[in-house]
């Protein structure tokens, strides 16, 4: 089974509109974390936002917010007031498992390509 | 600004000719990672270093090796590149503490194999 599922290969949004990128996850761990990264065409993976499994409030960072629904195992990214510079691939990722070797395994989804239309 | 720097941004090599990709960081993070990302796919972890301890993923081919001579630098060596190794290679770093484990990435090196 896929650990991280992003069902939208591509999305279009009008500039200044809000957009939601979907992410569902699968884990049996009680303690885990969810991330969203942005990857422009230049290639760099840019960290956007993080949500811990025990965090009761949805994470927000500027125009980004994470709609965390634990019972549904979903962690959707909401981008408000889209800008042309938001056009990029967006990856959802999850940290889970035993912390060992200075590391907890991070699994990435297959990404959603967002295009913002002027 | 503290950051993760990868050189070169683009690398062209010939089939079977060894190639080395480099990564440096000014974040003073003790964990460094190498990922392979093929077109339209998720990044795939190849290995990571926790300080000087090397941790290989089980499915990473022997063709891929890594060196970390000090905290700041990490190298990816591909001993005999094949056409299937053409990909974006991403270096990332993090602090080894329990909890968030945010990974910070470089801009990547795009490798072409002729």
């Amino acid at each position: 089974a896929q650990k991280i599922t992003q069902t939208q290969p591509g999305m279009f949004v009008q500039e200044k509109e809000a957009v939601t990128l979907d992410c569902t996850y699968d884990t049996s761990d009680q303690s885990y974390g969810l991330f969203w990264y942005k990857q422009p065409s230049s290639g760099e993976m840019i960290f956007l936002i993080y949500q811990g499994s025990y965090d009761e409030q949805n994470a927000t960072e500027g125009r980004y917010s994470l709609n965390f629904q634990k019972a549904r195992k979903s962690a959707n990214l909401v981008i408000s007031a889209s800008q042309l510079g938001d056009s990029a691939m967006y990856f959802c990722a999850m940290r889970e498992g035993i912390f060992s070797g200075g590391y907890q395994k991070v699994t990435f989804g297959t990404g959603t390509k967002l295009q913002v239309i002027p | 600004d503290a950051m993760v720097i990868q050189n070169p941004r683009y690398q062209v090599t010939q089939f079977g000719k060894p190639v080395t990709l480099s990564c440096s960081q000014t974040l003073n993070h003790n964990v460094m990672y190498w990922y392979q990302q093929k077109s339209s796919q998720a990044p795939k972890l190849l290995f990571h270093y926790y300080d000087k301890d090397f941790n290989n993923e089980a499915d990473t081919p022997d063709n891929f090796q890594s060196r970390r001579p000090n905290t700041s630098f990490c190298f990816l060596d591909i001993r005999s590149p094949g056409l299937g190794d053409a990909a974006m290679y991403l270096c990332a770093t993090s602090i080894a503490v329990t909890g968030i484990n945010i990974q910070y990435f470089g801009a990547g090196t795009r490798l072409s194999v002729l």
Side-chain angles (χ1 to χ4, degrees):
Chain A
Q2 294 280 351
K3 289 279 188 178
I4 295 284
T5 302
Q6 295 181 253
T7 57
Q8 306 151 313
M11 292 275 288
F12 289 92
V13 65
Q14 203 77 36
E15 193 178 8
K16 299 181 185 176
E17 297 290 314
V19 63
T20 298
L21 306 183
D22 295 341
C23 173
T24 57
Y25 60 92
D26 182 26
T27 182
S28 55
D29 286 357
Q30 295 300 308
S31 175
Y32 55 90
L34 297 149
F35 308 83
W36 278 92
Y37 284 88
K38 171 185 178 182
Q39 188 177 40
S41 57
S42 58
E44 181 179 3
M45 294 279 277
I46 302 165
F47 167 72
L48 295 178
I49 196 166
Y50 169 82
Q51 179 86 39
S53 58
Y54 292 120
D55 296 339
E56 294 185 353
Q57 302 257 0
N58 284 344
T60 59
E61 289 286 349
R63 294 187 298 112
Y64 304 107
S65 60
L66 198 153
N67 184 1
F68 182 47
Q69 298 192 34
K70 197 169 180 176
R72 293 186 178 184
K73 293 190 174 178
S74 76
N76 298 339
L77 177 70
V78 180
I79 305 175
S80 62
S82 298
Q83 302 171 357
L84 296 178
D86 294 334
S87 294
M89 283 289 286
Y90 288 81
F91 289 93
C92 180
M94 177 172 65
R95 162 191 66 76
E96 60 169 344
I98 299 169
F99 183 82
S100 68
Y103 174 71
Q104 273 178 296
K105 188 168 180 64
V106 174
T107 304
F108 288 82
T110 52
T112 295
K113 184 172 184 177
L114 177 67
Q115 294 186 64
V116 180
I117 306 166
Chain B
D1 285 344
M3 56 179 57
V4 182
I5 301 166
Q6 291 188 244
N7 285 306
R9 292 293 313 276
Y10 301 91
Q11 176 75 55
V12 180
T13 190
Q14 291 180 328
F15 182 94
K17 185 174 182 181
V19 65
T20 294
L21 310 182
S22 73
C23 177
S24 64
Q25 55 126 342
T26 60
L27 297 164
N28 204 30
H29 286 173
N30 53 355
V31 190
M32 293 187 77
Y33 311 80
W34 280 103
Y35 286 86
Q36 179 192 65
Q37 186 182 25
K38 296 190 175 179
S39 183
S40 303
Q41 295 184 19
K44 177 181 179 297
L45 181 66
L46 296 173
F47 25 60
H48 77 276
Y49 274 94
Y50 174 27
D51 293 325
K52 291 192 174 183
D53 292 335
F54 177 71
N55 298 271
N56 202 28
E57 292 299 298
D59 57 354
T60 298
D62 292 341
N63 198 25
F64 292 87
Q65 304 286 321
S66 186
R67 297 169 283 136
R68 188 179 186 187
N70 53 52
T71 301
S72 301
F73 286 88
C74 195
F75 300 97
L76 170 62
D77 301 310
I78 308 176
R79 294 193 296 187
S80 181
L83 298 179
D85 297 328
M88 173 75 89
Y89 289 87
L90 296 166
C91 174
T93 72
S94 70
I95 289 277
V97 292
T98 55
I100 297 177
N101 188 27
I102 296 172
Q103 294 184 22
Y104 295 93
F105 285 80
T109 294
R110 195 173 295 278
L111 178 69
S112 298
V113 181
L114 304 179

